[in-house]
Amino acid sequence: MNCQTFSRRTLLRGMGTAVALPMMNVMSPTRLLAAAATETPVPLRMGFFYVPNGAHMPDWTPRDEGSRYQLSKTIERLKDHRDKFNVLSGLTLDGARAHGDGGGDHARSVAAFLTGAHPRKTNGADIQNGISVDQATAQQVGNATRFASLELGLETSSQAGNCDSGYSCAYASNMSWRGPANPMAKEIDPGALFDRLFAGDSVKQTRQAKSVREKYRKSVLDFVLDDAKRLHKILPSVDQRKLDEYLYSVRDVERRLGSTELLRVGEDGVPDYPRPKGVPRGLDKHSELMMDMITLAMQTDSTRIVSFMFTNAGSNRSYSDIGVSEGHHELSHHGKSAHKQEQIATINRYHIDRFGYLINRMSSIREGEGSLLDNSMIIYGSGISDGDRHNHDDLPILLAGNAGGKIQSGRHIRYKNGTPLCNLYLWMMQQMGAKADQFGDSNGLIDKLA
């Protein structure tokens, strides 16, 4: 390995383990092979983060527009990064409306969130939706990375059953769709996701490496240590620090994964440290592990496209850790109750805090002339506005990152109410290099971002 043959496609390898590398200064086009010199030195990423049951809109929507707007009570939680995101008001998801199908707004809000389509009302096998923006983009540009896309979340996906007024659970628990009848189940197990990101080149190698790691209680980094040491010697000092920080992050995530289960003791009294099974019970720890690995996946260019569902549609999860003992869905039908609206606002602030953790992590990763977040465009929001009204216009939408300089961040932008959310998606697809002149119910490209 030498700097003349070093590119961002380089992997540290050993014992069936492959660890991708972060963006480094030596990966600039002038340092790559001629065959790789045409690659974009800093790739652009896109992500979509969904929260259920809408938002308490008075605490969400800023009063003023432009860059001098005052942060609302909910969005104020991101004040340390206010120059890294835009709040977008007025965007609409027409596909989530009833259109004669009656109840089922929660299921429709998820099914339409990334597709812009109106899902067929059925709880049988004849589901019909549209392709989602992440998959439409991945089908065109996903071959540039190890994983065309990652579909993640904190609650399991279902592919059958009746989940909302006659709508299949496939609609309520999946927002990523490879095709009209093909929902993409999400991964919720941090341990399984870690194994996917740091797997070998074959299933056999991956299983062998995992077995050895468990037997000898080793880190994935122990198997690639020789490769890492050789690389470290030939890097300039600034990249040596980047490599050290990245490898520390990998080991830290792995350490925290290992603590997600209680310590087991074998018959001989010797502690056993198996790979974690299941997910952490605490939502804080679960979400942070997933956000850390999303950061690692994007940092190493393992993928450029991520979708993430905090919970499934109509989730009735309670949040006792933050003083909310009632179910989220039940509270969203607040009937203008001041108590219920305050509880909803509390949940909203909790979710935005979880997203803020990701924003903080991505902002801390230096890349090119900016950060990992600077080279991304990350949507956060819901397919419902006010949970009591079940309306799908003027949605709570936040766009983080500035797409490598293509977005002027730090503003509240108000669009004409009724503007299709898919206008934004179409613009994002084109920035990613996907060829498209229409998506979902788009009627043009979003403006005011540059």
Side-chain angles (χ1 to χ4, degrees):
M1 184 186 298
N2 60 73
C3 283
Q4 297 303 314
T5 61
F6 186 61
S7 80
R8 60 180 172 79
R9 311 298 295 181
T10 302
L11 299 175
L12 299 180
R13 298 182 182 276
M15 194 61 187
T17 299
V19 177
L21 293 175
M23 185 71 189
M24 297 183 182
N25 287 4
V26 295
M27 294 176 182
S28 64
T30 57
R31 303 298 299 272
L32 301 180
L33 290 170
T38 58
E39 289 186 306
T40 303
V42 181
L44 184 61
R45 290 80 163 196
M46 71 190 316
F48 305 90
F49 289 72
Y50 170 89
V51 290
N53 302 323
H56 181 52
M57 297 305 291
D59 278 7
W60 172 273
T61 307
R63 293 182 180 179
D64 305 315
E65 299 178 55
S67 59
R68 297 187 178 183
Y69 77 98
Q70 182 176 351
L71 293 170
S72 62
K73 190 173 181 180
T74 298
I75 300 172
E76 186 181 23
R77 314 289 279 210
L78 302 178
K79 62 182 179 181
D80 291 342
H81 301 289
R82 69 167 293 157
D83 62 335
K84 298 295 185 182
F85 64 85
N86 287 322
V87 183
L88 310 181
S89 296
L91 299 181
T92 297
L93 194 60
D94 184 66
R97 289 169 168 155
H99 291 297
D101 284 340
D105 289 274
H106 290 281
R108 288 193 300 262
S109 74
V110 174
F113 189 62
L114 295 188
T115 67
H118 181 73
R120 173 187 290 163
K121 187 166 189 175
T122 178
N123 57 21
D126 57 335
I127 55 175
Q128 186 78 14
N129 197 14
I131 186 172
S132 54
V133 59
D134 60 322
Q135 295 306 305
T137 307
Q139 288 177 9
Q140 293 197 46
V141 304
N143 60 354
T145 54
R146 291 175 61 211
F147 303 101
S149 62
L150 290 176
E151 299 75 45
L152 309 172
L154 302 180
E155 288 186 351
T156 56
S157 292
S158 298
Q159 308 303 337
N162 182 358
C163 276
D164 186 8
S165 303
Y167 279 96
S168 171
C169 296
Y171 296 129
S173 62
N174 300 285
M175 70 173 183
S176 181
W177 290 70
R178 183 166 50 87
N182 306 107
M184 302 284 287
K186 53 191 180 293
E187 177 62 71
I188 70 166
D189 186 336
L193 177 56
F194 186 91
D195 287 337
R196 286 179 65 190
L197 292 178
F198 302 104
D201 294 327
S202 69
V203 174
K204 182 178 180 180
Q205 286 180 324
T206 300
R207 289 175 177 170
Q208 180 185 21
K210 182 177 178 181
S211 175
V212 173
R213 290 202 304 269
E214 291 178 354
K215 181 177 180 180
Y216 296 104
R217 307 177 184 121
K218 287 180 176 288
S219 160
V220 293
L221 299 182
D222 293 328
F223 293 105
V224 299
L225 191 58
D226 290 341
D227 234 9
K229 287 180 177 178
R230 286 194 294 270
L231 174 60
H232 197 276
K233 290 179 180 179
I234 65 174
L235 291 174
S237 58
V238 62
D239 283 337
Q240 287 178 343
R241 288 193 295 272
K242 286 185 178 182
L243 180 61
D244 291 340
E245 291 171 357
Y246 167 66
L247 295 180
Y248 174 83
S249 296
V250 174
R251 194 180 290 275
D252 180 61
V253 170
E254 191 175 39
R255 175 187 60 78
R256 289 156 59 209
L257 280 173
S259 65
T260 57
E261 285 190 339
L262 293 176
L263 185 65
R264 295 181 179 178
V265 179
E267 294 180 354
D268 57 358
V270 178
D272 181 28
Y273 300 85
R275 291 290 290 161
K277 296 179 181 179
V279 299
R281 291 185 178 181
L283 196 60
D284 283 11
K285 187 170 187 177
H286 188 186
S287 63
E288 288 177 6
L289 280 171
M290 297 298 279
M291 299 302 182
D292 282 340
M293 282 184 284
I294 288 171
T295 303
L296 289 173
M298 290 187 171
Q299 180 184 4
T300 58
D301 204 26
S302 295
T303 192
R304 298 174 187 174
I305 303 171
V306 173
S307 64
F308 186 92
M309 292 181 66
F310 279 85
T311 62
N312 295 336
S315 170
N316 205 37
R317 176 194 289 264
S318 61
Y319 294 81
S320 56
D321 289 348
I322 57 172
V324 180
S325 58
E326 299 165 81
H328 188 186
H329 179 228
E330 293 177 2
L331 286 168
S332 72
H333 294 274
H334 52 75
K336 299 185 178 180
S337 162
H339 165 73
K340 290 184 177 181
Q341 290 183 78
E342 177 52 39
Q343 295 287 278
I344 282 289
T346 299
I347 295 173
N348 295 162
R349 291 191 291 271
Y350 177 77
H351 283 157
I352 208 75
D353 283 344
R354 301 295 90 211
F355 184 67
Y357 180 89
L358 176 71
I359 297 303
N360 188 60
R361 290 285 291 114
M362 293 181 67
S363 295
S364 71
I365 306 298
R366 305 315 300 169
E367 190 178 74
E369 298 298 318
S371 68
L372 178 61
L373 181 64
D374 291 332
N375 297 313
S376 303
M377 40 187 179
I378 312 293
I379 295 289
Y380 172 96
S382 182
I384 290 179
S385 182
D386 176 20
D388 197 49
R389 293 173 54 208
H390 282 173
N391 63 309
H392 307 283
D393 65 313
D394 197 18
L395 297 171
I397 301 292
L398 184 149
L399 174 60
N402 64 16
K406 297 177 181 179
I407 298 174
Q408 179 188 345
S409 298
R411 297 177 293 152
H412 173 215
I413 305 174
R414 186 179 296 280
Y415 296 97
K416 180 181 178 181
N417 196 25
T419 300
L421 177 59
C422 287
N423 286 6
L424 171 60
Y425 293 163
L426 180 61
W427 184 88
M428 293 173 69
M429 290 179 67
Q430 293 184 0
Q431 308 317 303
M432 291 291 293
K435 296 181 180 179
D437 54 16
Q438 201 275 334
F439 179 78
D441 66 343
S442 68
N443 59 13
L445 288 174
I446 201 82
D447 59 359
K448 303 181 182 180
L449 291 181

